[in-house]
Amino acid sequence: MDDIFTGMDPDKRDRIINAAIEEFAAYPYDKASTNSIVKNAGVSKGLLFHYFENKQVLYEKLIGFVIQKLFDAIVNRIDWRESDLIERIRQIALIKMEVSKTYPHMFDFMMKTLTYKRAGNIDDIVELYKGYGFDFQKVNEDVFSRNIDYSKFRDPETIRESVNIVRWSLEKFGEEQLLLLGNDGKLDFAQAVAGLDHYMDILKKTFYA
């Protein structure tokens, strides 16, 4: 991964990144406007193209930047000693919300990117991430297997289904919070954590012995 973004003034960098993320999240690639990006970032078009040769270069580097931010946050902030799967998923939800404080539209942007890149299933997503130098599959496997104690689950015959329900529930909750953040740039973090913990308690009572 090159250091174009990291070599820029941090404030200017984040303004360009957020303006570009918001534009590409709102519109299909061919309709996204670099004029809107520079206007919302408060920079000149000459400056934008000084760092990025054209819109396609900006877009591709933006994808790599967002993926790296998310991967670095997950890999470096997860407590890999935690053996409780529900607690592990909680950590990821909180990490995503923390990262989104700085880049509010990043997950909307990635969803739009998956559509643009025609990444319609998990294999497509794995290949997309590999193209940017990240092993999505390994990180995903680590999240759901490294040091996890599956004996906590009440029914050993339905662990896979139980894990899916837990993951879908907490991820959906996290997505709803991120959507609120994307709409107005504000998120009551304490309230979001309280809501997340409430659902966690229900899931633990439902699936744990």
Side-chain angles (χ1 to χ4, degrees), residues 192-203:
V193 172
L196 183 64
D197 289 342
H198 174 66
Y199 282 104
M200 280 182 54
D201 287 342
I202 294 173
L203 291 167

Side-chain angles (χ1 to χ4, degrees), residues 171-183:
E171 286 182 354
K172 181 61 178 176
F173 177 84
E175 287 172 6
E176 290 178 350
Q177 299 305 308
L178 294 173
L179 181 61
L180 293 175
L181 180 61
N183 284 338

Side-chain angles (χ1 to χ4, degrees), residues 19-159:
I21 285 176
E22 185 171 3
E23 183 71 11
F24 286 120
Y27 301 100
Y29 172 82
D30 59 342
K31 295 187 181 302
S33 168
T34 53
N35 289 330
S36 294
I37 291 171
V38 297
K39 179 181 178 181
N40 292 330
V43 299
S44 69
K45 204 164 188 177
L47 178 67
L48 183 71
F49 289 131
H50 169 73
Y51 288 107
F52 311 101
E53 182 180 351
N54 52 45
K55 185 170 79 168
Q56 184 67 38
V57 171
L58 170 63
Y59 181 68
E60 297 294 340
K61 291 190 180 299
L62 198 64
I63 296 172
F65 177 86
V66 168
I67 292 175
Q68 184 171 33
K69 275 291 179 186
L70 184 56
F71 267 61
D72 287 351
I74 290 175
V75 171
N76 295 327
R77 297 185 195 178
I78 280 183
D79 180 0
W80 295 103
R81 299 167 298 177
E82 177 58 68
S83 64
D84 187 313
L85 178 65
I86 295 178
E87 292 289 344
R88 173 75 58 83
I89 297 174
R90 175 184 186 271
Q91 289 180 31
I92 294 173
L94 293 177
I95 288 169
K96 288 181 176 180
M97 283 190 275
E98 283 282 1
V99 174
S100 290
K101 287 181 179 179
T102 305
Y103 307 107
H105 296 274
M106 66 182 295
F107 291 98
D108 291 337
F109 167 71
M110 284 309 299
M111 291 304 297
K112 185 76 75 174
T113 296
L114 294 177
T115 301
Y116 177 71
K117 296 284 188 178
R118 295 181 173 83
N121 57 52
I122 189 64
D123 291 333
D124 294 334
I125 295 172
V126 168
E127 289 305 310
L128 172 65
Y129 279 48
K130 279 185 179 178
Y132 290 89
F134 299 93
D135 193 339
F136 173 86
Q137 194 166 24
K138 182 174 187 311
V139 172
N140 196 55
E141 288 174 355
D142 283 348
V143 165
F144 290 96
S145 63
R146 191 194 296 185
N147 297 328
I148 296 297
D149 180 8
Y150 282 100
S151 68
K152 293 175 179 287
F153 285 86
R154 179 179 293 113
D155 185 355
E157 295 184 0
T158 61
I159 288 179

Side-chain angles (χ1 to χ4, degrees), residues 179-194:
L179 181 61
L180 293 175
L181 180 61
N183 284 338
D184 61 12
K186 298 178 182 178
L187 176 65
D188 187 330
F189 199 72
Q191 183 177 344
V193 172

